[in-house]
Amino acid sequence: MQLGMVGLGRMGGNIVRRLMKDGHQAVVYDRDPAAVDALAKEGASAAGSLEDLVSKLGAPRAVWVMLPAGHITETTIEQLSKLLSADDVIIDGGNTFWQDDIRRAKTLREKSIAYVDVGTSGGIWGFERGYCMMIGGDKPIVDRLDPIFATLAPGIGDIPRTPGREERDPRVEQGYLHAGPVGAGHFVKMVHNGIEYGLMQAYAEGFDILKNANIDALPSEHRFDLDIADIAEVWRRGSVIPSWLLDLTASALARNAALDSYSGFVEDSGEGRWTINAAIEEAVPAEVLTSALFARFRSRKEHTFAERILSAMRAGFGGHKEPQQHPDAAHQAAPHQKLNPTSERA
């Protein structure tokens, strides 16, 4: 199948590579010509502009936009809407606010252009591991794009099958889900990332307690000089709290148990805040997720070992770099969304 890709960053480029490896054709565009050239050398068709990209796609066209949530995605989709034709489809695979999806789809529908939102998890490892996808859109359009999703998905792998799922949608076991109408995909991904915050914070706080088990304030008989890296490793093997996040933590600690290459300044992406906003609107108590979000706010004022653990995990799954700014810098909010997301894709 042919796909146009706009945005060749940490995830967009690897999505294209995974598709081409399975025989799909890709037309690619990015504002950075070097990113386009790199994929062109690997077999993609290079485009020098959005107009060029659209002209190189056969109808009905499918264009995947993989850009940071916010103004750049908004303007790109607006430009594409003026270039595409009836029955074409725009896919937004970034971390977009789900209500923006609904608004965009309504506008595009007036031009008979379809819109699909894809919450995409997999980070910088997606090329090898595949991407878990939560998809929102009209069923005929999602079904039409199924060859793309099937290639990108991780597949069933060696994860044991869940008893009782025999009559359910088999695509879910492959790692992708048609969650519902437009907006549903990003809504599910939003909550996924909110949960991610909570899981990361639990690991971070636990390892901070372990690290401080030898402080002078404790009676000598209550002190333990613990090997944090070895604890992380043993928990990966047979305990009830293993996860990819723990794998990443164990790897980071094995390289440098002090994690002193991390400042502990932890950014937050849009999904954490949006998840808490949704919980408030639904009157659902979300104490753990809210505390995890607020801990990231605190990390910009004071840094603990727990925050370095968080930074190590973020670098591991998403290649996120700590911001080069003073820790007291304000995290300003966009007007209608109450935040300025930083595209933490996982």
Coordinates of all heavy atoms in Angstrom, one line a residue, residues 55-116:
S55 N 1.1 15.2 -5.0 CA 1.1 14.9 -6.4 C 1.7 13.5 -6.7 O 1.4 13.0 -7.7 CB 2.0 16.0 -7.1 OG 3.3 15.9 -6.9
K56 N 2.5 13.0 -5.8 CA 3.2 11.7 -6.0 C 2.4 10.6 -5.4 O 2.8 9.4 -5.5 CB 4.6 11.8 -5.4 CG 5.6 12.7 -6.1 CD 6.9 12.7 -5.5 CE 7.9 13.6 -6.3 NZ 9.2 13.6 -5.7
L57 N 1.2 10.9 -4.8 CA 0.4 9.8 -4.2 C -0.8 9.5 -5.2 O -1.4 10.4 -5.8 CB -0.2 10.2 -2.9 CG 0.8 10.4 -1.8 CD1 0.2 11.1 -0.6 CD2 1.4 9.0 -1.4
G58 N -1.0 8.2 -5.3 CA -2.2 7.8 -6.1 C -3.5 7.9 -5.4 O -3.5 7.6 -4.2
A59 N -4.6 8.2 -6.0 CA -5.9 8.3 -5.4 C -6.5 6.9 -5.1 O -6.2 6.0 -6.0 CB -6.8 9.1 -6.2
P60 N -7.2 6.7 -4.1 CA -7.4 7.6 -3.0 C -6.2 7.7 -2.1 O -5.6 6.7 -1.8 CB -8.6 7.1 -2.2 CG -8.5 5.6 -2.5 CD -8.0 5.5 -3.9
R61 N -5.8 8.9 -1.7 CA -4.5 9.1 -1.0 C -4.7 8.9 0.5 O -5.7 9.2 1.0 CB -4.0 10.5 -1.3 CG -3.8 10.9 -2.8 CD -3.5 12.3 -2.9 NE -3.5 12.7 -4.4 CZ -4.5 13.1 -5.1 NH1 -5.7 13.1 -4.5 NH2 -4.4 13.4 -6.3
A62 N -3.6 8.5 1.1 CA -3.5 8.4 2.6 C -2.3 9.2 3.0 O -1.2 8.8 2.6 CB -3.5 7.0 3.0
V63 N -2.4 10.2 3.9 CA -1.3 11.0 4.3 C -1.2 10.9 5.9 O -2.2 11.3 6.5 CB -1.4 12.4 3.9 CG1 -0.2 13.2 4.4 CG2 -1.5 12.5 2.4
W64 N -0.1 10.4 6.4 CA 0.0 10.3 7.8 C 0.9 11.5 8.3 O 1.9 11.7 7.8 CB 0.8 9.0 8.1 CG 1.0 8.6 9.6 CD1 1.5 9.4 10.6 CD2 0.6 7.4 10.2 NE1 1.5 8.7 11.8 CE2 1.0 7.5 11.6 CE3 0.1 6.2 9.8 CZ2 0.8 6.4 12.5 CZ3 -0.1 5.2 10.6 CH2 0.2 5.3 12.0
V65 N 0.3 12.2 9.3 CA 1.0 13.4 9.8 C 1.6 12.9 11.2 O 0.8 12.5 12.1 CB 0.1 14.6 10.0 CG1 0.8 15.7 10.7 CG2 -0.5 15.0 8.6
M66 N 2.9 13.0 11.3 CA 3.6 12.6 12.6 C 4.4 13.8 13.1 O 5.6 13.8 12.9 CB 4.4 11.4 12.3 CG 4.7 10.6 13.6 SD 3.2 9.9 14.3 CE 3.9 8.9 15.6
L67 N 3.7 14.7 13.7 CA 4.3 16.0 14.2 C 3.9 16.2 15.6 O 3.0 15.7 16.1 CB 3.9 17.1 13.3 CG 4.3 17.1 11.8 CD1 3.5 18.1 11.0 CD2 5.8 17.2 11.6
P68 N 4.7 17.1 16.3 CA 4.3 17.4 17.7 C 2.9 18.0 17.7 O 2.5 18.8 16.8 CB 5.4 18.5 18.1 CG 6.5 18.2 17.2 CD 6.0 17.7 15.9
A69 N 2.1 17.7 18.7 CA 0.8 18.2 18.9 C 0.9 19.7 19.0 O 1.8 20.3 19.6 CB 0.1 17.6 20.1
G70 N -0.1 20.4 18.4 CA -0.2 21.9 18.5 C -0.2 22.6 17.2 O -0.8 22.0 16.2
H71 N 0.3 23.7 17.1 CA 0.2 24.6 16.0 C 0.7 24.0 14.7 O 0.1 24.1 13.6 CB 0.9 25.9 16.2 CG 0.8 26.9 15.1 ND1 -0.3 27.5 14.8 CD2 1.8 27.3 14.2 CE1 -0.1 28.3 13.7 NE2 1.2 28.2 13.4
I72 N 1.9 23.3 14.7 CA 2.5 22.8 13.5 C 1.6 21.7 12.9 O 1.4 21.6 11.7 CB 3.9 22.3 13.8 CG1 4.5 21.8 12.4 CG2 3.9 21.1 14.8 CD1 6.0 21.5 12.5
T73 N 1.0 20.9 13.8 CA 0.1 19.8 13.2 C -1.2 20.5 12.7 O -1.7 20.1 11.6 CB -0.3 18.8 14.3 OG1 0.9 18.1 14.7 CG2 -1.4 17.9 13.9
E74 N -1.7 21.5 13.4 CA -2.9 22.2 12.9 C -2.7 22.8 11.6 O -3.5 22.6 10.6 CB -3.3 23.3 14.0 CG -4.7 23.8 13.8 CD -5.7 22.9 14.3 OE1 -5.6 22.2 15.3 OE2 -6.8 22.8 13.6
T75 N -1.6 23.5 11.4 CA -1.4 24.2 10.1 C -1.1 23.2 9.0 O -1.5 23.4 7.8 CB -0.2 25.2 10.2 OG1 0.9 24.5 10.7 CG2 -0.6 26.3 11.2
T76 N -0.4 22.1 9.3 CA -0.1 21.1 8.3 C -1.4 20.5 7.8 O -1.6 20.3 6.6 CB 0.8 20.1 8.9 OG1 2.1 20.7 9.2 CG2 1.1 19.0 7.8
I77 N -2.3 20.1 8.7 CA -3.5 19.5 8.3 C -4.4 20.5 7.5 O -5.0 20.1 6.5 CB -4.3 18.9 9.5 CG1 -3.5 17.7 10.1 CG2 -5.7 18.6 9.2 CD1 -4.1 17.2 11.3
E78 N -4.4 21.7 7.9 CA -5.1 22.7 7.1 C -4.6 22.9 5.7 O -5.3 22.9 4.7 CB -5.0 24.1 7.9 CG -5.8 25.2 7.2 CD -5.7 26.5 7.9 OE1 -5.1 26.6 9.0 OE2 -6.2 27.5 7.4
Q79 N -3.2 22.9 5.6 CA -2.7 22.9 4.2 C -3.0 21.7 3.4 O -3.3 21.8 2.2 CB -1.1 23.1 4.3 CG -0.7 24.4 4.9 CD 0.8 24.4 5.2 OE1 1.6 24.0 4.3 NE2 1.2 24.9 6.3
L80 N -2.9 20.5 4.0 CA -3.3 19.3 3.3 C -4.7 19.3 2.8 O -5.0 18.8 1.7 CB -3.0 18.1 4.2 CG -1.5 17.7 4.4 CD1 -1.4 16.7 5.4 CD2 -0.9 17.2 3.0
S81 N -5.6 19.9 3.7 CA -7.0 19.9 3.3 C -7.3 20.7 2.0 O -8.3 20.4 1.3 CB -7.8 20.5 4.4 OG -7.7 21.9 4.5
K82 N -6.4 21.6 1.7 CA -6.5 22.4 0.5 C -5.9 21.7 -0.8 O -6.2 22.1 -1.9 CB -5.9 23.7 0.6 CG -6.5 24.6 1.8 CD -5.7 25.8 2.0 CE -6.3 26.7 3.2 NZ -5.5 27.9 3.5
L83 N -5.2 20.6 -0.5 CA -4.5 19.9 -1.6 C -5.1 18.6 -1.9 O -5.0 18.1 -3.0 CB -3.0 19.7 -1.2 CG -2.2 20.9 -0.9 CD1 -0.8 20.6 -0.3 CD2 -2.0 21.8 -2.2
L84 N -5.8 17.9 -0.9 CA -6.3 16.6 -1.1 C -7.7 16.7 -1.8 O -8.3 17.7 -1.8 CB -6.4 15.9 0.2 CG -5.0 15.6 0.9 CD1 -5.2 15.0 2.3 CD2 -4.2 14.7 0.0
S85 N -8.2 15.5 -2.2 CA -9.5 15.4 -2.9 C -10.4 14.5 -2.1 O -10.1 13.9 -1.1 CB -9.2 14.8 -4.3 OG -8.3 15.6 -5.0
A86 N -11.6 14.4 -2.6 CA -12.6 13.6 -2.0 C -12.1 12.1 -1.9 O -11.5 11.7 -2.8 CB -13.9 13.7 -2.8
D87 N -12.5 11.5 -0.8 CA -12.1 10.1 -0.6 C -10.7 9.9 -0.1 O -10.2 8.8 0.3 CB -12.3 9.2 -1.8 CG -13.8 9.1 -2.1 OD1 -14.6 9.2 -1.2 OD2 -14.1 9.0 -3.3
D88 N -9.9 11.0 -0.1 CA -8.5 10.9 0.5 C -8.7 10.9 2.1 O -9.7 11.2 2.6 CB -7.7 12.1 0.1 CG -7.3 12.1 -1.4 OD1 -7.5 11.0 -2.0 OD2 -6.9 13.1 -1.9
V89 N -7.6 10.5 2.7 CA -7.7 10.5 4.2 C -6.4 11.0 4.8 O -5.3 10.8 4.3 CB -7.9 9.0 4.7 CG1 -6.8 8.1 4.2 CG2 -7.9 8.9 6.2
I90 N -6.6 11.8 5.9 CA -5.5 12.3 6.7 C -5.5 11.5 8.0 O -6.5 11.3 8.7 CB -5.7 13.8 7.0 CG1 -5.6 14.6 5.7 CG2 -4.6 14.3 8.0 CD1 -5.9 16.1 5.9
I91 N -4.3 11.0 8.3 CA -4.1 10.2 9.6 C -3.2 11.1 10.5 O -2.1 11.5 10.1 CB -3.4 8.9 9.3 CG1 -4.1 8.1 8.2 CG2 -3.2 8.1 10.6 CD1 -3.3 7.0 7.6
D92 N -3.7 11.3 11.7 CA -2.8 12.0 12.7 C -2.3 11.0 13.7 O -3.1 10.5 14.5 CB -3.6 13.1 13.4 CG -2.8 13.9 14.4 OD1 -1.6 13.6 14.6 OD2 -3.3 14.8 15.0
G93 N -1.0 10.7 13.7 CA -0.5 9.7 14.6 C 0.2 10.3 15.8 O 0.9 9.6 16.5
G94 N 0.2 11.6 15.9 CA 0.9 12.3 17.0 C 0.0 12.2 18.3 O -1.0 11.6 18.4
N95 N 0.5 13.0 19.3 CA -0.2 13.0 20.6 C -1.2 14.2 20.6 O -1.1 15.1 21.4 CB 0.7 13.1 21.7 CG 1.4 11.8 22.0 OD1 0.8 10.7 21.7 ND2 2.6 11.8 22.4
T96 N -2.2 14.2 19.7 CA -3.2 15.3 19.6 C -4.3 15.2 20.6 O -4.7 14.1 21.1 CB -3.7 15.3 18.2 OG1 -2.7 15.7 17.2 CG2 -5.0 16.2 18.0
F97 N -4.8 16.4 21.0 CA -5.9 16.4 22.0 C -7.1 15.9 21.2 O -7.5 16.4 20.1 CB -6.1 17.9 22.4 CG -7.2 18.1 23.4 CD1 -7.3 17.3 24.5 CD2 -8.1 19.1 23.3 CE1 -8.3 17.5 25.5 CE2 -9.1 19.3 24.2 CZ -9.2 18.5 25.3
W98 N -7.8 14.9 21.8 CA -8.9 14.2 21.1 C -10.0 15.1 20.6 O -10.7 14.9 19.6 CB -9.4 13.1 21.9 CG -10.0 13.5 23.3 CD1 -9.3 13.7 24.4 CD2 -11.4 13.8 23.6 NE1 -10.2 14.1 25.4 CE2 -11.5 14.2 24.9 CE3 -12.6 13.7 22.8 CZ2 -12.7 14.5 25.6 CZ3 -13.7 14.1 23.4 CH2 -13.8 14.4 24.8
Q99 N -10.3 16.2 21.4 CA -11.4 17.1 20.9 C -11.0 17.9 19.7 O -11.8 18.3 18.9 CB -11.7 18.1 22.1 CG -12.4 17.4 23.2 CD -12.8 18.4 24.3 OE1 -12.9 19.6 24.1 NE2 -13.1 17.8 25.5
D100 N -9.7 18.1 19.5 CA -9.2 18.7 18.2 C -9.5 17.7 17.0 O -9.8 18.2 15.9 CB -7.7 19.0 18.3 CG -7.4 20.2 19.2 OD1 -8.4 21.0 19.4 OD2 -6.3 20.4 19.6
D101 N -9.3 16.5 17.3 CA -9.6 15.5 16.2 C -11.1 15.6 15.8 O -11.4 15.6 14.6 CB -9.4 14.0 16.8 CG -8.0 13.7 17.1 OD1 -7.1 14.1 16.3 OD2 -7.8 13.0 18.1
I102 N -12.0 15.7 16.7 CA -13.4 15.8 16.4 C -13.7 17.0 15.5 O -14.4 17.0 14.5 CB -14.3 15.8 17.6 CG1 -14.1 14.4 18.3 CG2 -15.7 16.0 17.3 CD1 -14.7 14.3 19.7
R103 N -13.1 18.1 16.0 CA -13.3 19.4 15.2 C -12.7 19.3 13.8 O -13.4 19.7 12.9 CB -12.6 20.5 16.0 CG -12.5 21.9 15.3 CD -11.9 23.0 16.1 NE -10.6 22.6 16.6 CZ -9.4 22.5 15.9 NH1 -9.5 22.8 14.6 NH2 -8.3 22.2 16.5
R104 N -11.5 18.8 13.7 CA -10.9 18.7 12.4 C -11.7 17.8 11.5 O -11.9 18.1 10.3 CB -9.5 18.1 12.5 CG -8.5 19.1 13.1 CD -7.2 18.3 13.3 NE -6.2 19.1 14.1 CZ -5.2 18.6 14.8 NH1 -5.0 17.3 14.7 NH2 -4.4 19.3 15.5
A105 N -12.1 16.6 12.0 CA -12.9 15.7 11.2 C -14.2 16.3 10.6 O -14.5 16.1 9.5 CB -13.2 14.4 12.0
K106 N -14.8 17.1 11.4 CA -16.0 17.8 11.0 C -15.7 18.7 9.8 O -16.5 18.8 8.8 CB -16.7 18.5 12.2 CG -18.0 19.2 11.8 CD -18.6 19.9 13.1 CE -19.9 20.6 12.7 NZ -20.5 21.3 13.9
T107 N -14.6 19.5 9.9 CA -14.3 20.4 8.9 C -13.9 19.7 7.6 O -14.3 20.0 6.5 CB -13.1 21.3 9.3 OG1 -13.5 22.0 10.5 CG2 -12.7 22.3 8.3
L108 N -13.1 18.6 7.7 CA -12.7 17.8 6.6 C -13.8 17.1 5.9 O -13.8 16.9 4.7 CB -11.6 16.8 7.0 CG -10.3 17.4 7.4 CD1 -9.4 16.4 8.0 CD2 -9.6 18.1 6.2
R109 N -14.8 16.7 6.7 CA -16.0 16.0 6.1 C -16.7 16.8 5.1 O -17.3 16.3 4.2 CB -16.9 15.5 7.3 CG -17.9 14.4 6.9 CD -18.6 13.9 8.1 NE -17.8 13.2 9.0 CZ -17.6 13.6 10.3 NH1 -18.2 14.7 10.8 NH2 -16.8 12.9 11.1
E110 N -16.7 18.1 5.3 CA -17.3 19.0 4.4 C -16.7 19.0 3.0 O -17.3 19.3 2.0 CB -17.3 20.5 4.9 CG -18.1 20.7 6.2 CD -17.9 22.0 6.8 OE1 -17.1 22.8 6.3 OE2 -18.5 22.3 7.9
K111 N -15.4 18.5 2.9 CA -14.7 18.4 1.7 C -14.7 16.9 1.2 O -13.9 16.6 0.3 CB -13.3 18.9 1.8 CG -13.3 20.4 2.1 CD -11.8 20.9 2.2 CE -11.7 22.4 2.5 NZ -10.3 22.9 2.5
S112 N -15.4 16.0 2.0 CA -15.4 14.6 1.7 C -14.0 14.0 1.9 O -13.7 12.9 1.3 CB -15.9 14.3 0.3 OG -17.2 14.7 0.2
I113 N -13.2 14.6 2.8 CA -11.9 14.1 3.1 C -12.0 13.4 4.5 O -12.6 14.0 5.4 CB -10.8 15.2 3.2 CG1 -10.6 15.8 1.8 CG2 -9.5 14.6 3.7 CD1 -9.7 17.1 1.9
A114 N -11.6 12.2 4.6 CA -11.7 11.4 5.8 C -10.5 11.8 6.8 O -9.5 12.2 6.4 CB -11.7 9.9 5.5
Y115 N -10.8 11.5 8.1 CA -9.8 11.8 9.1 C -9.7 10.6 10.1 O -10.8 10.1 10.5 CB -10.1 13.1 9.8 CG -9.2 13.5 10.9 CD1 -8.1 14.4 10.7 CD2 -9.3 13.0 12.2 CE1 -7.3 14.8 11.7 CE2 -8.5 13.5 13.2 CZ -7.4 14.3 12.9 OH -6.6 14.7 13.9
V116 N -8.5 10.2 10.4 CA -8.3 9.1 11.3 C -7.3 9.5 12.4 O -6.2 10.0 12.0 CB -7.9 7.8 10.6 CG1 -7.5 6.7 11.6 CG2 -9.0 7.3 9.7

